[in-house]
Amino acid sequence: MSANLINLLIDATWQTLYMVAVSAALGTVFGLPLGVFLATSQRGELLSRPLINKVLGLVVNAARSVPFIILVVAIIPFTRMVAGTSIGTTAAIVPLTIAAVPFIARLIENAIREVDSGLIEAARAMGATPLQIIRKVLIPEALPSITLGLTLAVVSLIGYSAMVGAVGGEGLGDLGIRYGYQRFMPEVMAIVVVILIVLVQLVQTIGEWFAARVDKRAPKGRGQ
């Protein structure tokens, strides 16, 4: 393989990491509070707002129902308005983030709902406010599940980042299509696939390690 192709692979890998990291961070910034609200705003819950909960739930479900490649094409005008262009790595962050927010929100919601309701009642009995319960009880107790959920989200974003290469998003997906498919270079496609697999394995391993570290219920090994 030529030095030019090696440089292209390195650049494409960094582009993929950039897209995934920024969209995961933005998706978490917006998805975390949305997921917490969805988990605590049904009738009789901490932030009881059943009508808003229902409307937001419908919006989240609708956003998650749209196939990603269709979403990318459908929001091209919005992407162009936000990023100034509809092609390139920075532009790809827009649809990646929009896809990540509802996905992360549902993962956070499910993680919060797994927390023992007895802990909430105990905190209420001690006079804690709803926001205090969320900050000091729900989120800390759900942190291992939240971590695993965010790990799953990042893994999905890696796959999405490869798909967005089909519409000019750059990164490993774009490289695989332009060289591996259009120029009939199967070795490039194989290397792209291997890099994506390695990235997924690294993210999964790190996520599981961190989730185990923050899980207060997990038994500690000897010497810890």
Side-chain angles (χ1 to χ4, degrees), residues 25-35 97 101 105:
L26 291 174
T28 302
V29 166
F30 293 106
L32 177 60
L34 178 57
T97 301
V101 170

Side-chain angles (χ1 to χ4, degrees), residues 155-168:
V155 169
S156 297
L157 284 171
I158 292 173
Y160 289 163
S161 72
M163 268 191 278
V164 86
V167 288

Side-chain angles (χ1 to χ4, degrees), residues 179-195:
Y179 285 84
Y181 177 70
Q182 294 176 349
R183 301 191 185 186
F184 305 101
M185 300 175 69
E187 69 277 10
V188 174
M189 183 68 79
I191 293 172
V192 166
V193 171
V194 169
I195 294 174

Side-chain angles (χ1 to χ4, degrees), residues 100-143:
V101 170
F103 185 53
I104 290 175
R106 283 302 187 194
L107 292 171
I108 299 296
E109 179 189 6
N110 292 336
I112 294 292
R113 291 195 179 281
E114 289 177 357
V115 176
D116 186 358
S117 60
L119 295 173
I120 300 174
E121 295 306 319
R124 272 177 162 168
M126 293 190 305
T129 65
L131 289 180
Q132 286 175 330
I133 293 174
I134 290 171
R135 282 193 308 111
K136 298 183 179 181
V137 177
L138 290 180
I139 292 180
E141 288 294 324
L143 194 54

Side-chain angles (χ1 to χ4, degrees), residues 41-213:
S41 59
Q42 290 186 1
R43 191 177 304 277
E45 293 181 333
L46 290 173
L47 304 175
S48 182
R49 297 291 188 277
L51 180 59
I52 299 176
N53 180 284
K54 189 170 184 178
V55 172
L56 285 177
L58 290 173
V59 171
V60 167
N61 289 340
R64 290 186 62 199
S65 300
V66 180
F68 179 69
I69 196 67
I70 294 177
L71 173 68
V72 173
V73 176
I75 66 167
I76 282 177
F78 178 73
T79 300
R80 191 178 291 118
M81 181 179 69
V82 173
T85 178
S86 60
I87 59 174
T89 307
T90 300
I93 291 172
V94 177
L96 285 170
T97 301
I98 292 175
V101 170
F103 185 53
I104 290 175
R106 283 302 187 194
L107 292 171
I108 299 296
E109 179 189 6
N110 292 336
I112 294 292
R113 291 195 179 281
E114 289 177 357
V115 176
D116 186 358
S117 60
L119 295 173
I120 300 174
E121 295 306 319
R124 272 177 162 168
M126 293 190 305
T129 65
L131 289 180
Q132 286 175 330
I133 293 174
I134 290 171
R135 282 193 308 111
K136 298 183 179 181
V137 177
L138 290 180
I139 292 180
E141 288 294 324
L143 194 54
S145 295
I146 290 174
T147 302
L148 292 175
L150 292 177
T151 300
L152 176 60
V154 173
V155 169
S156 297
L157 284 171
I158 292 173
Y160 289 163
S161 72
M163 268 191 278
V164 86
V167 288
E170 298 185 339
L172 289 168
D174 175 63
L175 186 67
I177 291 170
R178 285 193 295 115
Y179 285 84
Y181 177 70
Q182 294 176 349
R183 301 191 185 186
F184 305 101
M185 300 175 69
E187 69 277 10
V188 174
M189 183 68 79
I191 293 172
V192 166
V193 171
V194 169
I195 294 174
L196 289 171
I197 291 173
V198 170
L199 290 178
V200 168
Q201 291 298 323
L202 281 174
V203 168
Q204 192 68 46
T205 300
I206 293 171
E208 290 175 353
W209 175 84
F210 190 75
R213 296 286 294 180

